[in-house]
Amino acid sequence: MARQPQKRGGDGPRDGGQRDSGPPPKPKRKRVWPVAFAILIAWGLIFGAVGYSRWISTLPDTTNLLAKGPSRDITLYDDQHHQIAQRGLTQGAMVDVREMPAYVPNAFIAIEDRRFRSHLGIDPIGTTRALMQNMHSGHVVQGGSTLTQQLAKNLFLTQERTFDRKVQEALLALYLESRYSKDQILTLYLNRVYFGAGVYGIEAAAEHFFGKTAQTLTLTEAAMLAGSVKAPAKYNPLADPDASIDRATVVLRAMEETGFISEAQRADAASTRPRIVRESTADSGYFVDWVIAQIPSYVGDVDQPIRVETTFDVGLQTEAERALQGGLAQGGPALNASEGALVAMTPDGAVRALVGGRSYSDSTFNRATDARRQPGSAFKPFVYLTAFQHGHKPTDVMDDKPVTFGKWSPQDFEDKYEGPVSLTHAFAISSNSIAAQLTEDVGPGAVVRTARRLGITSDLMAVPAIALGVFEVTPLELTASYAPFANGGTGVMPFAIERITTRDGTVLYRRKGSGAGHVMSAENAADVTGLMVGTVTVGTGKAAKLDARPTAGKTGTTQDFRDAWFVGFTSDLVCGVWIGNDNNHPMKHATGGGLPAHIFKNFMERAETGLPVRPLTSIANAPVVAAASEAAPAAGNGSAAKEPSSIGDILNSLFGGNSAQAASAPVTAPPQQDQD
């Protein structure tokens, strides 16, 4: 077969002949995305730099952080000008980290931030480790903040835990690292960190806990202070010395692991127990913390030592602690009541004693000023006062019976109702039905306005249930709101500071007197006080009745026995007592007429020792008024007995004898159950 000639196709002739023409090759497209990406990055950097510069410009000036700080020296005195405490808000003269033994800053580095000397303000390794630990545990068990981040938070940020704040914290840490050396950052940190018990700064902590300067701290003491930073309220040396020592051993072990100390040094320090300095006065911690928190509102930022003269009475504080702690120790276990608070003030609002819990060493949380609890029937004086201001009288008769307002049906204690009774008797037995009826009559809004006028500052809602004290208040504000009944009708603002001066005597603040003026008429003050006399004489508060002087007060018990109160007064003192549990767990049938009333009496009997017996101010100052007889008519009988001419005659008809001594008169009515 003849072989076919080969086709040359596009190869063209080899002999220089004309080539075949094919389609032209497609030109390669230039890649533009790298250029665009680079441009975007460039613009992003430009805008980021501008934004960062603008953000940096909004930060507080940091040029003088190492040069000054608020005064650490705040000395408090009682009403007899005796020193009761010395505290530091932050630092005084800045203590340079290079002036301290090396183990002092190293203790903080070992337990808080081991890579402090090498990172740039944030520690990716530490942050990742903490994140993994927290994810493994299912909750936060470890923090990833560096010492620089902690300093940034203390200097510029709030304590809220949000993503935005963490970003700000990180950026600020980078900013601080760019402005200061590592030693300067350590100096700032140690002079501003919080150590618990109201103490800020290494110098103030060394003085307050150990009675020495930061330069003379031992290794063990330095480890205790470094260990307290994690949980200052729990691990500071005063709160729990054993817990503080245990935490210090963890710090010492960390120092050995990082090479800051030897094994022999760790063992020697771990076997040493430092001497902890305690205040020689009564447990004034709760009072002192409350006062120190108020100082800036009186004098602002002060950069020198100051002296604060207070209303504190050491003797009354000792008796208040004894009464509360003794009462809880003796009666608390059976009632499942673990905590309490007691506030005592003069009728003009001067706080003489303040106990915020059974032990300041165990818990620095101030239940007297910060715990918000329902007052229950201890709120009823505001209901009755409002009713009297709207025309009701103590002798008015109302039907103590089951009632319903909308979907709400208040019930008397154990569903026991007494039928037609006078308002005086209804108050003494703490009738919920009649309190609710009075509130419905005058309007819940009027009751709220009355409570506000007398000193209740917590949130209240104008609803029918306000009659039974369902909204939370603090023991301090509730006690202060009874002061107008004790002083004859003048509103007060509870106070503890009389004068603030510098060390050289310059007066920065002097109390000139303040209050809300008259908040009720003298007649209404006497009427409500008369009701409260009945409570301690024949009503639910008989256990609070003092043996030798006129007393008035009101019990309070909340739903499921979660709170129990007694608030009362003599002519000399107003005192409020609360018992309950921090976790709001119910107690075992604890009522205001039980343990709180007994604590009130035990304290007031000792507090009044040596004072002259005087009538209750509101009753002594009562005007002569026309009033209906207190004696309640029999059921179905609307007749009334002879009308007394004054509040004194009303009390005489109730209890017999001199009205000024009504609270100490023999009980002539049948005893009532201590239900509230």
Side-chain angles (χ1 to χ4, degrees), residues 402-460:
V403 292
T404 298
F405 304 100
K407 297 182 179 180
W408 181 55
S409 299
Q411 296 177 316
D412 280 1
F413 186 74
E414 295 182 344
D415 285 336
K416 294 180 179 179
Y417 301 91
E418 297 197 9
V421 294
S422 69
L423 292 188
T424 297
H425 185 68
F427 188 91
I429 64 172
S430 202
S431 166
N432 289 337
S433 170
I434 289 180
Q437 292 178 58
L438 289 173
T439 300
E440 175 70 12
D441 182 29
V442 302
V447 176
V448 169
R449 290 190 292 273
T450 296
R452 288 262 180 266
R453 194 168 62 250
L454 268 67
I456 298 296
T457 58
S458 295
D459 292 337
L460 302 174

Short mmCIF file of all heavy atoms in Angstrom, two decimals, residues 402-460:
data_model
loop_
_atom_site.label_atom_id
_atom_site.label_comp_id
_atom_site.label_asym_id
_atom_site.label_seq_id
_atom_site.Cartn_x
_atom_site.Cartn_y
_atom_site.Cartn_z
N PRO A 402 -61.04 38.13 105.68
CA PRO A 402 -60.41 37.84 104.39
C PRO A 402 -60.86 38.86 103.34
O PRO A 402 -62.05 39.20 103.26
CB PRO A 402 -60.92 36.44 104.05
CG PRO A 402 -61.32 35.85 105.37
CD PRO A 402 -61.82 36.99 106.19
N VAL A 403 -59.92 39.36 102.57
CA VAL A 403 -60.22 40.34 101.53
C VAL A 403 -59.46 39.98 100.27
O VAL A 403 -58.46 39.25 100.30
CB VAL A 403 -59.84 41.78 101.96
CG1 VAL A 403 -60.73 42.27 103.08
CG2 VAL A 403 -58.36 41.83 102.38
N THR A 404 -59.93 40.50 99.13
CA THR A 404 -59.28 40.26 97.85
C THR A 404 -59.28 41.55 97.05
O THR A 404 -60.29 42.25 96.99
CB THR A 404 -60.01 39.16 97.05
OG1 THR A 404 -59.96 37.93 97.77
CG2 THR A 404 -59.36 38.97 95.68
N PHE A 405 -58.14 41.87 96.48
CA PHE A 405 -58.00 43.04 95.62
C PHE A 405 -57.45 42.55 94.28
O PHE A 405 -56.26 42.25 94.16
CB PHE A 405 -57.06 44.07 96.24
CG PHE A 405 -57.48 44.51 97.62
CD1 PHE A 405 -56.88 43.97 98.75
CD2 PHE A 405 -58.49 45.44 97.78
CE1 PHE A 405 -57.26 44.37 100.01
CE2 PHE A 405 -58.89 45.84 99.05
CZ PHE A 405 -58.28 45.31 100.17
N GLY A 406 -58.34 42.47 93.29
CA GLY A 406 -57.93 41.91 92.01
C GLY A 406 -57.60 40.43 92.19
O GLY A 406 -58.45 39.64 92.62
N LYS A 407 -56.37 40.05 91.87
CA LYS A 407 -55.94 38.67 92.03
C LYS A 407 -55.15 38.46 93.32
O LYS A 407 -54.61 37.38 93.55
CB LYS A 407 -55.08 38.26 90.84
CG LYS A 407 -55.81 38.27 89.51
CD LYS A 407 -54.89 37.80 88.37
CE LYS A 407 -55.63 37.80 87.05
NZ LYS A 407 -54.76 37.34 85.92
N TRP A 408 -55.10 39.50 94.16
CA TRP A 408 -54.29 39.42 95.38
C TRP A 408 -55.18 39.27 96.60
O TRP A 408 -56.11 40.07 96.81
CB TRP A 408 -53.42 40.67 95.51
CG TRP A 408 -52.53 40.68 96.72
CD1 TRP A 408 -51.63 39.73 97.07
CD2 TRP A 408 -52.47 41.68 97.74
NE1 TRP A 408 -50.99 40.07 98.23
CE2 TRP A 408 -51.49 41.28 98.66
CE3 TRP A 408 -53.15 42.88 97.94
CZ2 TRP A 408 -51.18 42.03 99.79
CZ3 TRP A 408 -52.84 43.63 99.06
CH2 TRP A 408 -51.86 43.22 99.97
N SER A 409 -54.90 38.27 97.42
CA SER A 409 -55.68 38.02 98.64
C SER A 409 -54.73 37.92 99.82
O SER A 409 -54.19 36.83 100.12
CB SER A 409 -56.50 36.73 98.50
OG SER A 409 -57.41 36.81 97.43
N PRO A 410 -54.47 39.03 100.51
CA PRO A 410 -53.57 38.98 101.68
C PRO A 410 -54.20 38.15 102.80
O PRO A 410 -55.41 38.14 102.98
CB PRO A 410 -53.45 40.45 102.08
CG PRO A 410 -54.70 41.09 101.59
CD PRO A 410 -55.04 40.38 100.31
N GLN A 411 -53.36 37.44 103.53
CA GLN A 411 -53.85 36.59 104.61
C GLN A 411 -53.21 36.99 105.92
O GLN A 411 -52.04 37.35 105.98
CB GLN A 411 -53.53 35.12 104.31
CG GLN A 411 -54.23 34.56 103.08
CD GLN A 411 -53.83 33.13 102.79
OE1 GLN A 411 -52.66 32.79 102.86
NE2 GLN A 411 -54.80 32.29 102.48
N ASP A 412 -53.99 36.90 107.00
CA ASP A 412 -53.44 37.10 108.32
C ASP A 412 -52.64 35.87 108.73
O ASP A 412 -52.76 34.80 108.14
CB ASP A 412 -54.56 37.36 109.33
CG ASP A 412 -55.06 38.80 109.28
OD1 ASP A 412 -54.54 39.57 108.45
OD2 ASP A 412 -55.98 39.14 110.04
N PHE A 413 -51.83 36.04 109.77
CA PHE A 413 -50.99 34.95 110.25
C PHE A 413 -51.85 33.75 110.61
O PHE A 413 -52.80 33.86 111.39
CB PHE A 413 -50.18 35.42 111.45
CG PHE A 413 -49.17 34.43 111.95
CD1 PHE A 413 -48.00 34.20 111.24
CD2 PHE A 413 -49.39 33.73 113.12
CE1 PHE A 413 -47.06 33.29 111.69
CE2 PHE A 413 -48.45 32.83 113.59
CZ PHE A 413 -47.28 32.60 112.88
N GLU A 414 -51.56 32.60 110.03
CA GLU A 414 -52.27 31.34 110.26
C GLU A 414 -53.76 31.47 109.95
O GLU A 414 -54.59 30.73 110.49
CB GLU A 414 -52.06 30.85 111.70
CG GLU A 414 -50.60 30.49 112.01
CD GLU A 414 -50.41 29.97 113.41
OE1 GLU A 414 -51.33 30.17 114.25
OE2 GLU A 414 -49.36 29.38 113.68
N ASP A 415 -54.10 32.43 109.07
CA ASP A 415 -55.50 32.64 108.65
C ASP A 415 -56.44 32.88 109.83
O ASP A 415 -57.61 32.49 109.81
CB ASP A 415 -56.00 31.43 107.84
CG ASP A 415 -55.43 31.43 106.43
OD1 ASP A 415 -55.06 32.51 105.94
OD2 ASP A 415 -55.36 30.35 105.81
N LYS A 416 -55.92 33.56 110.85
CA LYS A 416 -56.75 33.90 112.01
C LYS A 416 -57.21 35.34 111.91
O LYS A 416 -56.38 36.26 111.83
CB LYS A 416 -55.98 33.66 113.30
CG LYS A 416 -55.64 32.20 113.57
CD LYS A 416 -54.88 32.03 114.88
CE LYS A 416 -54.57 30.56 115.13
NZ LYS A 416 -53.79 30.37 116.40
N TYR A 417 -58.51 35.56 111.91
CA TYR A 417 -59.09 36.90 111.79
C TYR A 417 -59.93 37.20 113.03
O TYR A 417 -60.53 36.29 113.62
CB TYR A 417 -59.96 37.00 110.53
CG TYR A 417 -59.19 36.70 109.26
CD1 TYR A 417 -59.12 35.39 108.75
CD2 TYR A 417 -58.52 37.71 108.58
CE1 TYR A 417 -58.39 35.11 107.60
CE2 TYR A 417 -57.81 37.45 107.42
CZ TYR A 417 -57.74 36.15 106.94
OH TYR A 417 -57.03 35.88 105.80
N GLU A 418 -59.99 38.47 113.42
CA GLU A 418 -60.64 38.82 114.68
C GLU A 418 -61.92 39.64 114.50
O GLU A 418 -62.51 40.08 115.48
CB GLU A 418 -59.67 39.59 115.58
CG GLU A 418 -58.47 38.75 115.98
CD GLU A 418 -57.73 39.32 117.17
OE1 GLU A 418 -58.24 40.28 117.80
OE2 GLU A 418 -56.63 38.83 117.48
N GLY A 419 -62.33 39.88 113.26
CA GLY A 419 -63.55 40.64 113.06
C GLY A 419 -63.34 42.13 113.32
O GLY A 419 -62.23 42.66 113.14
N PRO A 420 -64.37 42.84 113.78
CA PRO A 420 -64.24 44.29 114.01
C PRO A 420 -63.24 44.60 115.14
O PRO A 420 -63.39 44.11 116.26
CB PRO A 420 -65.66 44.71 114.41
CG PRO A 420 -66.55 43.64 113.87
CD PRO A 420 -65.75 42.37 113.97
N VAL A 421 -62.24 45.38 114.81
CA VAL A 421 -61.24 45.79 115.80
C VAL A 421 -60.85 47.24 115.53
O VAL A 421 -61.02 47.75 114.41
CB VAL A 421 -59.98 44.90 115.75
CG1 VAL A 421 -60.28 43.48 116.17
CG2 VAL A 421 -59.36 44.93 114.36
N SER A 422 -60.31 47.90 116.53
CA SER A 422 -59.80 49.26 116.33
C SER A 422 -58.47 49.19 115.56
O SER A 422 -57.82 48.16 115.52
CB SER A 422 -59.57 49.94 117.68
OG SER A 422 -58.47 49.32 118.34
N LEU A 423 -58.08 50.32 114.97
CA LEU A 423 -56.80 50.36 114.26
C LEU A 423 -55.64 50.15 115.22
O LEU A 423 -54.61 49.58 114.85
CB LEU A 423 -56.65 51.69 113.52
CG LEU A 423 -57.60 51.92 112.34
CD1 LEU A 423 -57.21 53.19 111.58
CD2 LEU A 423 -57.62 50.73 111.40
N THR A 424 -55.78 50.60 116.45
CA THR A 424 -54.72 50.39 117.45
C THR A 424 -54.51 48.89 117.68
O THR A 424 -53.38 48.39 117.69
CB THR A 424 -55.08 51.07 118.78
OG1 THR A 424 -55.16 52.47 118.57
CG2 THR A 424 -54.03 50.77 119.84
N HIS A 425 -55.63 48.17 117.82
CA HIS A 425 -55.52 46.73 118.04
C HIS A 425 -55.04 46.02 116.78
O HIS A 425 -54.22 45.09 116.85
CB HIS A 425 -56.88 46.17 118.48
CG HIS A 425 -56.83 44.72 118.85
ND1 HIS A 425 -56.18 44.26 119.97
CD2 HIS A 425 -57.36 43.62 118.24
CE1 HIS A 425 -56.29 42.94 120.05
NE2 HIS A 425 -57.01 42.53 119.00
N ALA A 426 -55.51 46.47 115.62
CA ALA A 426 -55.10 45.86 114.35
C ALA A 426 -53.59 45.99 114.16
O ALA A 426 -52.93 45.06 113.69
CB ALA A 426 -55.84 46.51 113.19
N PHE A 427 -53.04 47.13 114.54
CA PHE A 427 -51.60 47.34 114.41
C PHE A 427 -50.86 46.45 115.40
O PHE A 427 -49.82 45.85 115.06
CB PHE A 427 -51.27 48.81 114.68
CG PHE A 427 -49.86 49.19 114.39
CD1 PHE A 427 -49.48 49.65 113.14
CD2 PHE A 427 -48.87 49.09 115.36
CE1 PHE A 427 -48.16 50.01 112.87
CE2 PHE A 427 -47.56 49.44 115.11
CZ PHE A 427 -47.21 49.91 113.85
N ALA A 428 -51.37 46.34 116.61
CA ALA A 428 -50.69 45.54 117.64
C ALA A 428 -50.60 44.08 117.25
O ALA A 428 -49.58 43.43 117.49
CB ALA A 428 -51.41 45.69 118.99
N ILE A 429 -51.66 43.55 116.62
CA ILE A 429 -51.64 42.15 116.20
C ILE A 429 -51.10 42.00 114.79
O ILE A 429 -51.02 40.90 114.26
CB ILE A 429 -53.05 41.52 116.29
CG1 ILE A 429 -54.01 42.20 115.31
CG2 ILE A 429 -53.57 41.57 117.72
CD1 ILE A 429 -55.36 41.51 115.20
N SER A 430 -50.73 43.13 114.15
CA SER A 430 -50.16 43.14 112.80
C SER A 430 -51.09 42.51 111.77
O SER A 430 -50.70 41.64 110.99
CB SER A 430 -48.80 42.43 112.78
OG SER A 430 -48.03 42.85 111.69
N SER A 431 -52.33 42.98 111.75
CA SER A 431 -53.32 42.46 110.80
C SER A 431 -52.93 42.83 109.37
O SER A 431 -52.83 44.01 109.03
CB SER A 431 -54.71 43.03 111.12
OG SER A 431 -55.60 42.81 110.05
N ASN A 432 -52.74 41.84 108.53
CA ASN A 432 -52.46 42.09 107.12
C ASN A 432 -53.70 42.57 106.38
O ASN A 432 -53.63 43.40 105.47
CB ASN A 432 -51.93 40.82 106.45
CG ASN A 432 -50.53 40.47 106.91
OD1 ASN A 432 -49.78 41.32 107.38
ND2 ASN A 432 -50.18 39.20 106.80
N SER A 433 -54.84 42.03 106.76
CA SER A 433 -56.09 42.39 106.11
C SER A 433 -56.38 43.88 106.24
O SER A 433 -56.69 44.56 105.26
CB SER A 433 -57.25 41.58 106.71
OG SER A 433 -58.50 42.07 106.26
N ILE A 434 -56.26 44.40 107.45
CA ILE A 434 -56.59 45.81 107.66
C ILE A 434 -55.53 46.71 107.05
O ILE A 434 -55.85 47.77 106.50
CB ILE A 434 -56.80 46.08 109.16
CG1 ILE A 434 -58.11 45.41 109.59
CG2 ILE A 434 -56.80 47.57 109.46
CD1 ILE A 434 -58.46 45.58 111.04
N ALA A 435 -54.26 46.32 107.08
CA ALA A 435 -53.23 47.12 106.42
C ALA A 435 -53.51 47.21 104.92
O ALA A 435 -53.34 48.27 104.30
CB ALA A 435 -51.85 46.51 106.66
N ALA A 436 -53.94 46.10 104.32
CA ALA A 436 -54.27 46.11 102.90
C ALA A 436 -55.51 46.97 102.63
O ALA A 436 -55.56 47.69 101.61
CB ALA A 436 -54.50 44.68 102.41
N GLN A 437 -56.50 46.90 103.51
CA GLN A 437 -57.70 47.73 103.33
C GLN A 437 -57.36 49.22 103.43
O GLN A 437 -57.88 50.03 102.65
CB GLN A 437 -58.75 47.35 104.38
CG GLN A 437 -59.33 45.96 104.21
CD GLN A 437 -60.32 45.63 105.30
OE1 GLN A 437 -61.33 46.34 105.49
NE2 GLN A 437 -60.06 44.56 106.05
N LEU A 438 -56.51 49.58 104.37
CA LEU A 438 -56.11 50.98 104.50
C LEU A 438 -55.36 51.45 103.26
O LEU A 438 -55.56 52.58 102.77
CB LEU A 438 -55.23 51.16 105.74
CG LEU A 438 -55.92 51.05 107.09
CD1 LEU A 438 -54.89 51.08 108.22
CD2 LEU A 438 -56.94 52.17 107.28
N THR A 439 -54.49 50.60 102.73
CA THR A 439 -53.74 50.96 101.52
C THR A 439 -54.68 51.15 100.34
O THR A 439 -54.51 52.08 99.53
CB THR A 439 -52.70 49.88 101.21
OG1 THR A 439 -51.79 49.78 102.30
CG2 THR A 439 -51.91 50.21 99.94
N GLU A 440 -55.67 50.27 100.24
CA GLU A 440 -56.66 50.42 99.17
C GLU A 440 -57.45 51.72 99.33
O GLU A 440 -57.77 52.39 98.34
CB GLU A 440 -57.62 49.22 99.21
CG GLU A 440 -58.77 49.29 98.23
CD GLU A 440 -58.34 49.13 96.79
OE1 GLU A 440 -57.19 48.74 96.54
OE2 GLU A 440 -59.17 49.40 95.89
N ASP A 441 -57.73 52.09 100.56
CA ASP A 441 -58.51 53.30 100.84
C ASP A 441 -57.74 54.57 100.47
O ASP A 441 -58.27 55.46 99.79
CB ASP A 441 -58.88 53.33 102.33
CG ASP A 441 -59.73 54.54 102.68
OD1 ASP A 441 -60.47 55.04 101.80
OD2 ASP A 441 -59.66 55.00 103.84
N VAL A 442 -56.47 54.67 100.89
CA VAL A 442 -55.71 55.90 100.65
C VAL A 442 -54.97 55.88 99.31
O VAL A 442 -54.54 56.93 98.81
CB VAL A 442 -54.70 56.15 101.79
CG1 VAL A 442 -55.41 56.25 103.12
CG2 VAL A 442 -53.63 55.04 101.83
N GLY A 443 -54.77 54.69 98.75
CA GLY A 443 -54.05 54.54 97.49
C GLY A 443 -52.60 54.17 97.72
O GLY A 443 -51.91 54.80 98.53
N PRO A 444 -52.10 53.14 97.02
CA PRO A 444 -50.69 52.73 97.19
C PRO A 444 -49.70 53.85 96.91
O PRO A 444 -48.65 53.93 97.54
CB PRO A 444 -50.53 51.58 96.18
CG PRO A 444 -51.91 51.07 95.95
CD PRO A 444 -52.81 52.26 96.08
N GLY A 445 -50.04 54.75 95.97
CA GLY A 445 -49.14 55.86 95.66
C GLY A 445 -48.92 56.76 96.85
O GLY A 445 -47.80 57.27 97.06
N ALA A 446 -49.96 56.98 97.63
CA ALA A 446 -49.83 57.82 98.82
C ALA A 446 -48.91 57.17 99.84
O ALA A 446 -48.12 57.85 100.51
CB ALA A 446 -51.20 58.09 99.43
N VAL A 447 -48.99 55.84 99.98
CA VAL A 447 -48.11 55.12 100.91
C VAL A 447 -46.66 55.24 100.46
O VAL A 447 -45.75 55.46 101.28
CB VAL A 447 -48.53 53.65 101.01
CG1 VAL A 447 -47.55 52.88 101.90
CG2 VAL A 447 -49.95 53.53 101.57
N VAL A 448 -46.43 55.11 99.16
CA VAL A 448 -45.08 55.25 98.63
C VAL A 448 -44.53 56.64 98.94
O VAL A 448 -43.38 56.79 99.38
CB VAL A 448 -45.05 55.00 97.11
CG1 VAL A 448 -43.70 55.40 96.52
CG2 VAL A 448 -45.34 53.54 96.81
N ARG A 449 -45.35 57.67 98.74
CA ARG A 449 -44.89 59.05 99.00
C ARG A 449 -44.56 59.25 100.47
O ARG A 449 -43.59 59.94 100.81
CB ARG A 449 -45.94 60.04 98.53
CG ARG A 449 -46.07 60.12 97.00
CD ARG A 449 -46.95 61.28 96.57
NE ARG A 449 -48.35 61.08 96.94
CZ ARG A 449 -49.24 60.43 96.21
NH1 ARG A 449 -48.87 59.88 95.05
NH2 ARG A 449 -50.48 60.30 96.59
N THR A 450 -45.33 58.66 101.34
CA THR A 450 -45.05 58.76 102.78
C THR A 450 -43.71 58.10 103.12
O THR A 450 -42.88 58.67 103.83
CB THR A 450 -46.17 58.10 103.59
OG1 THR A 450 -47.39 58.82 103.37
CG2 THR A 450 -45.84 58.10 105.08
N ALA A 451 -43.51 56.88 102.60
CA ALA A 451 -42.26 56.17 102.88
C ALA A 451 -41.07 56.96 102.35
O ALA A 451 -40.03 57.05 103.02
CB ALA A 451 -42.30 54.78 102.24
N ARG A 452 -41.20 57.54 101.17
CA ARG A 452 -40.11 58.35 100.60
C ARG A 452 -39.84 59.56 101.51
O ARG A 452 -38.68 59.91 101.76
CB ARG A 452 -40.51 58.84 99.22
CG ARG A 452 -40.52 57.75 98.18
CD ARG A 452 -39.23 57.78 97.39
NE ARG A 452 -39.22 56.74 96.38
CZ ARG A 452 -38.70 55.54 96.53
NH1 ARG A 452 -38.13 55.21 97.68
NH2 ARG A 452 -38.72 54.65 95.56
N ARG A 453 -40.88 60.18 101.98
CA ARG A 453 -40.73 61.38 102.80
C ARG A 453 -40.01 61.08 104.11
O ARG A 453 -39.24 61.90 104.61
CB ARG A 453 -42.10 61.99 103.07
CG ARG A 453 -42.09 63.41 103.62
CD ARG A 453 -43.46 64.04 103.59
NE ARG A 453 -44.42 63.34 104.42
CZ ARG A 453 -45.44 62.62 103.96
NH1 ARG A 453 -45.61 62.49 102.65
NH2 ARG A 453 -46.28 62.01 104.79
N LEU A 454 -40.23 59.87 104.62
CA LEU A 454 -39.61 59.51 105.90
C LEU A 454 -38.21 58.93 105.74
O LEU A 454 -37.53 58.70 106.75
CB LEU A 454 -40.49 58.52 106.66
CG LEU A 454 -41.48 59.17 107.65
CD1 LEU A 454 -42.55 59.97 106.90
CD2 LEU A 454 -42.14 58.15 108.54
N GLY A 455 -37.77 58.68 104.50
CA GLY A 455 -36.38 58.27 104.33
C GLY A 455 -36.13 56.98 103.58
O GLY A 455 -34.97 56.58 103.43
N ILE A 456 -37.16 56.30 103.07
CA ILE A 456 -36.94 55.10 102.28
C ILE A 456 -36.49 55.52 100.89
O ILE A 456 -37.21 56.21 100.17
CB ILE A 456 -38.23 54.24 102.19
CG1 ILE A 456 -38.64 53.77 103.58
CG2 ILE A 456 -38.00 53.05 101.27
CD1 ILE A 456 -37.65 52.85 104.26
N THR A 457 -35.30 55.10 100.49
CA THR A 457 -34.73 55.50 99.21
C THR A 457 -34.72 54.37 98.19
O THR A 457 -34.49 54.62 97.01
CB THR A 457 -33.29 56.01 99.39
OG1 THR A 457 -32.51 54.97 100.00
CG2 THR A 457 -33.26 57.23 100.29
N SER A 458 -34.94 53.14 98.61
CA SER A 458 -34.94 52.01 97.68
C SER A 458 -36.16 52.07 96.77
O SER A 458 -37.12 52.80 97.04
CB SER A 458 -34.94 50.68 98.45
OG SER A 458 -33.75 50.53 99.18
N ASP A 459 -36.11 51.30 95.70
CA ASP A 459 -37.20 51.30 94.72
C ASP A 459 -38.48 50.74 95.35
O ASP A 459 -38.47 49.68 95.98
CB ASP A 459 -36.82 50.45 93.50
CG ASP A 459 -35.70 51.08 92.70
OD1 ASP A 459 -35.52 52.31 92.80
OD2 ASP A 459 -35.01 50.35 91.96
N LEU A 460 -39.58 51.46 95.15
CA LEU A 460 -40.90 51.04 95.61
C LEU A 460 -41.88 51.16 94.45
O LEU A 460 -41.74 52.05 93.61
CB LEU A 460 -41.38 51.91 96.78
CG LEU A 460 -40.51 51.97 98.03
CD1 LEU A 460 -41.07 53.00 99.01
CD2 LEU A 460 -40.42 50.60 98.70
#
